[in-house]
Amino acid sequence: KNEVEQSPQNLTAQEGEFITINCSYSVGISALHWLQQHPGGGIVSLFMLSSGKKKHGRLIATINIQEKHSSLHITASHPRDSAVYICAVSQSNTGNQFYFGTGTSLTVIP
Amino acid sequence: NAGVTQTPKFQVLKTGQSMTLQCAQDMNHNSMYWYRQDPGMGLRLIYYSASEGTTDKGEVPNGYNVSRLNKREFSLRLESAAPSQTSVYFCASSTLGRWSNQPQHFGDGTRLSIL
């Protein structure tokens, strides 16, 4: 049983396309995180959100608490956006129970 | 801009050997974490330390020990390495004791192979 499911697992897009990555979770959460893992392996935290929407540059993250769903959008995609995007959630009734999705591998072709 | 520094970046061990993975952060964070990442699986928490002097087991602690040496450093030890411990290991840190409400900062990872 996976507490966090991401879709799609793999995604290939042409440069300039609008991209959406989805994350569904099955537990009550206190926060949801989007992480980016570069091809070299390093992991960077992109967003942390518990409601609504956040925007940073060409990246937008939304969350619907009632539907237990979050989306990460990339506008005007660029080859440098190629990476694995990971959704993670922490369960709301504890401070140390948290779950990661298996990631979405994005390739943006010039 | 060091952030979270892990050493070594790569290591090959024979079954039964021991080793310690080192992690240090220079952001004055209270909490530190060790994860492993395996193909087809999400990151899994091995151990975490909410503050200096405390450590707690995560999802997959068997075969590992940790030491929170001081506020900056959190090491992970494999006492008797097994092939099942072949993985990429990540150290991370965050400002407060409860990960849930703070973003984490990750190291670059240690690729460990056990033969």
Side-chain angles (χ1 to χ4, degrees):
Chain A
K1 170 178 172 290
N2 293 327
E3 288 78 7
V4 179
E5 298 278 0
Q6 288 184 236
S7 63
Q9 281 190 311
N10 298 284
L11 181 57
T12 300
Q14 289 292 131
E15 183 173 358
E17 283 186 5
F18 180 84
I19 290 164
T20 296
I21 299 170
N22 296 299
C23 174
S24 296
Y25 53 91
S26 59
V27 296
I29 68 168
S30 56
L32 182 144
H33 298 243
W34 282 103
L35 310 173
Q36 180 191 54
Q37 186 168 22
H38 299 290
I43 299 173
V44 175
S45 178
L46 296 174
F47 293 104
M48 182 183 68
L49 63 166
S50 54
S51 65
K53 175 180 174 179
K54 287 191 176 180
K55 184 176 189 291
H56 181 68
R58 294 179 295 104
L59 302 178
I60 303 166
T62 64
I63 188 168
N64 184 318
I65 297 295
Q66 287 73 29
E67 294 186 2
K68 294 186 175 179
H69 181 268
S70 175
S71 293
L72 177 68
H73 305 287
I74 304 175
T75 62
S77 60
H78 190 276
R80 65 175 174 265
D81 296 325
S82 298
V84 175
Y85 293 84
I86 300 169
C87 174
V89 302
S90 57
Q91 203 167 10
S92 56
N93 61 340
T94 71
N96 60 354
Q97 194 70 33
F98 41 90
Y99 306 99
F100 291 84
T102 55
T104 295
S105 179
L106 171 66
T107 301
V108 181
I109 300 170
Chain B
N1 291 350
V4 179
T5 303
Q6 289 183 236
T7 56
K9 293 193 186 307
F10 304 93
Q11 185 70 48
V12 179
L13 294 178
K14 294 181 179 178
T15 297
Q17 285 186 315
S18 62
M19 83 159 293
T20 300
L21 307 185
Q22 306 286 354
C23 176
Q25 52 90 10
D26 62 1
M27 296 173 283
N28 202 34
H29 285 170
N30 289 307
S31 299
M32 298 185 73
Y33 313 82
W34 276 106
Y35 298 97
R36 59 179 289 173
Q37 186 179 42
D38 301 296
M41 303 185 75
L43 287 158
R44 291 183 292 169
L45 182 69
I46 305 171
Y47 271 93
Y48 80 105
S49 171
S51 61
E52 185 179 354
T54 68
T55 60
D56 284 285
K57 295 179 180 179
E59 182 183 354
V60 289
N62 292 342
Y64 305 95
N65 285 303
V66 290
S67 296
R68 183 74 183 267
L69 303 170
N70 47 55
K71 192 171 186 178
R72 290 187 64 248
E73 299 173 287
F74 188 39
S75 63
L76 178 72
R77 183 162 178 84
L78 287 70
E79 291 291 352
S80 178
S84 61
Q85 293 177 304
T86 294
S87 189
V88 181
Y89 291 85
F90 286 94
C91 177
S93 69
S94 63
T95 53
L96 297 178
R98 296 196 129 206
W99 179 90
S100 60
N101 294 321
Q102 297 294 328
Q104 291 196 349
H105 299 258
F106 287 83
D108 289 337
T110 295
R111 293 184 180 276
L112 182 61
S113 294
I114 316 295
L115 305 178

